[in-house]
Amino acid sequence: MISMNIHEKTTIRTGEALHKILMSYTDKKLYEVRRQFEISGGGIQGKAKLVSLLEGGIRDIFQKRIYYLDYERYCILRHISDNGEINESFADKDLYAFMNIGMVFEYGETGSEIIVVPGDLIDIFKEHDGKALEVNARENSELFVLINGCLNSYGLIDYASLFKIVGSHSDIRIDDNRFRRALKECEALHGMILPEDDFVYSRSFDNPSYFVDEQAKFKELGYKEFTREQLVINADLLIKPSSHCSLRLLRLLRKHFKANDEKLGMAVSVLIWNARCCREAEESLAFIIHELGKITGGFLNEFMPLYAAYNNETGKFALKGHTPGEVMKIQYPQLHENLVDINAYGSGNGKVIPFERGIRTGRNEPCPCGSGKKHKFCCGK
């Protein structure tokens, strides 16, 4: 992708002719475009001939890439096609998506103008637009949502399991070729990765090799079963607080920090994501300090028990989407039952919260969270 310096003074518009855009480039930038679109053709001499080669190549590629679009981006193209202008609701995520699939061009060398879909490419869209293209975009959206829902629920998942889960929740008939194309399209629009070893995981997910190793320790566990509705909700990284612990976490942040509910809700989403990634409390505290402000002793006294609680009820990437309590119930059913009894006696809610009370685990014993580590290296730190 060509690097673009997009700032507040940048004008974003549509409709300019592709030929005029390309002619505004230096020879160096034209060759950057050629590399970006992987347009071959030897013996090209002179700027005019190079521009002509690039025009033809870009048109051919665009004709294929309109079938990569999800329904939201398809509707944006249709609006541009019908009205000749970009919709006011056009957002950064849309610009990012169009940039990734080569539908955005700088005008000239200054970067002060960004052209979203040149006019002659819009003409190609008009030629191909119709019911078939709209249905394809709707199908893409359904597959992308289920793929992203799985990635945000499991962290990483092997290709065969992902194919099976998405297929079981979708009404679309998909074969291996269609699904691999959907993965490639989802990568372009939403930023996920399909590694060569057939594990699929999100770009927003770091250190995948650690979780491949951790998941391998739980061979008896299948990937947790989620409903279609749960996967659709989980497709959005900024999950709105809804569980008992996430709502308590929101109230705690609201009590100690001056910020609007939108920012606090985003903070809760990040903290829950940290829990899914099995990140240490220090990372979450550093995030709170950076985004919300200084923390006090009073906040720490309230946060740390809650940190343990929401970690315990959050599905872990290391546990194939299961919560520590669910893994304990599968691996140590009697211990789980005892903890439920103890916690129910102590709190009246019957929740399993081994991190807070109800059990004393030796530091060299397996951690009751189900991680497979010794307690001293896990929750007993």
Side-chain angles (χ1 to χ4, degrees):
M1 181 191 304
I2 300 173
S3 62
M4 296 185 179
N5 297 317
I6 300 174
H7 49 77
E8 292 181 1
K9 296 182 179 180
T10 298
T11 300
I12 299 176
R13 59 192 180 89
T14 188
E16 196 66 72
L18 180 59
H19 180 83
K20 186 175 180 180
I21 294 170
L22 295 175
M23 287 299 292
S24 74
Y25 292 173
T26 62
D27 289 349
K28 179 181 179 181
K29 192 161 186 177
L30 286 172
Y31 280 102
E32 286 181 17
V33 174
R34 184 174 181 173
R35 285 195 298 272
Q36 177 197 6
F37 288 93
E38 298 179 350
I39 297 172
S40 60
I44 302 299
Q45 299 293 327
K47 184 173 183 176
K49 290 186 177 181
L50 178 56
V51 166
S52 179
L53 174 72
L54 295 179
E55 279 186 85
I58 290 171
R59 288 193 184 101
D60 291 341
I61 292 168
F62 177 83
Q63 187 170 312
K64 297 174 183 177
R65 286 183 175 176
I66 55 177
Y67 288 91
Y68 290 11
L69 295 170
D70 58 8
Y71 186 65
E72 186 176 356
R73 252 57 65 175
Y74 164 81
C75 288
I76 291 173
L77 264 188
R78 172 172 276 184
H79 177 87
I80 295 173
S81 172
D82 292 341
N83 299 279
E85 59 183 21
I86 297 172
N87 196 310
E88 291 180 358
S89 63
F90 190 81
D92 289 345
K93 65 176 182 178
D94 302 312
L95 183 62
Y96 171 82
F98 281 121
M99 286 174 65
N100 274 2
I101 55 179
M103 297 184 185
V104 174
F105 298 82
E106 282 183 324
Y107 186 72
E109 300 296 322
T110 64
S112 60
E113 287 187 298
I114 301 296
I115 310 300
V116 178
V117 193
D120 27 356
L121 299 188
I122 289 294
D123 291 338
I124 293 174
F125 173 78
K126 288 179 179 179
E127 292 173 12
H128 289 81
D129 190 19
K131 193 62 181 179
L133 188 61
E134 180 179 349
V135 169
N136 181 80
R138 289 183 184 275
E139 290 183 350
N140 280 346
S141 285
E142 178 175 335
L143 293 177
F144 295 168
V145 165
L146 292 175
I147 289 169
N148 282 321
C150 286
L151 294 181
N152 294 337
S153 299
Y154 304 116
L156 74 168
I157 183 171
D158 65 81
Y159 173 84
S161 296
L162 179 62
F163 179 87
K164 182 178 179 181
I165 291 170
V166 171
S168 69
H169 289 295
S170 174
D171 295 329
I172 302 169
R173 294 183 63 181
I174 49 176
D175 57 17
D176 181 72
N177 289 334
R178 175 70 177 92
F179 192 65
R180 288 190 182 275
R181 194 189 89 185
L183 286 173
K184 184 177 180 180
E185 294 166 358
C186 191
E187 151 70 1
L189 285 168
H190 298 279
M192 49 75 58
I193 301 172
L194 178 64
E196 294 179 0
D197 60 6
D198 264 356
F199 271 98
V200 184
Y201 59 96
S202 170
R203 280 191 192 279
S204 58
F205 184 67
D206 57 357
N207 194 18
S209 60
Y210 168 79
F211 291 97
V212 172
D213 294 339
E214 287 301 301
Q215 287 189 2
K217 297 176 183 177
F218 299 92
K219 293 180 180 178
E220 74 279 14
L221 284 179
Y223 291 98
K224 181 179 177 179
E225 293 185 9
F226 291 96
T227 65
R228 175 188 168 87
E229 290 71 25
Q230 288 172 318
L231 291 176
V232 169
I233 291 171
N234 289 349
D236 184 0
L237 277 177
L238 298 178
I239 299 169
K240 304 299 183 290
S242 59
S243 69
H244 175 69
C245 280
S246 63
L247 289 172
R248 284 176 60 197
L249 184 56
L250 177 62
R251 287 195 292 268
L252 178 61
L253 296 179
R254 187 184 289 148
K255 174 182 174 182
H256 287 272
F257 300 100
K258 293 181 179 180
N260 59 45
D261 276 358
E262 181 180 2
K263 185 171 184 178
L264 293 176
M266 291 177 65
V268 170
S269 298
V270 172
L271 295 176
I272 292 174
W273 178 263
N274 285 351
R276 287 180 174 181
C277 294
C278 308
R279 290 174 180 159
E280 301 290 347
E282 288 78 5
E283 288 193 55
S284 289
L285 290 172
F287 167 79
I288 291 171
I289 293 170
H290 184 267
E291 295 295 328
L292 300 177
K294 294 181 179 179
I295 58 178
T296 63
F299 171 79
L300 273 180
N301 289 337
E302 293 182 73
F303 175 75
M304 291 311 295
L306 184 53
Y307 170 82
Y310 79 75
N311 265 273
N312 190 45
E313 72 166 35
T314 298
K316 306 290 185 183
F317 294 159
L319 303 177
K320 301 182 179 180
H322 295 275
T323 68
E326 289 167 344
V327 173
M328 184 187 297
K329 185 176 182 179
I330 296 169
Q331 293 190 326
Y332 310 103
Q334 189 58 54
L335 177 59
H336 178 271
E337 186 177 339
N338 292 340
L339 284 169
V340 171
D341 291 341
I342 292 170
N343 285 328
Y345 176 78
S347 67
N349 61 17
K351 286 187 176 292
V352 182
I353 309 178
F355 303 107
E356 291 193 272
R357 60 182 185 281
I359 183 171
R360 291 195 176 276
T361 304
R363 287 176 58 73
N364 289 311
E365 295 178 14
C367 187
C369 76
S371 67
K373 301 178 183 178
K374 290 184 179 180
H375 187 52
K376 65 181 179 181
F377 296 126
C378 193
C379 304
K381 287 183 179 181

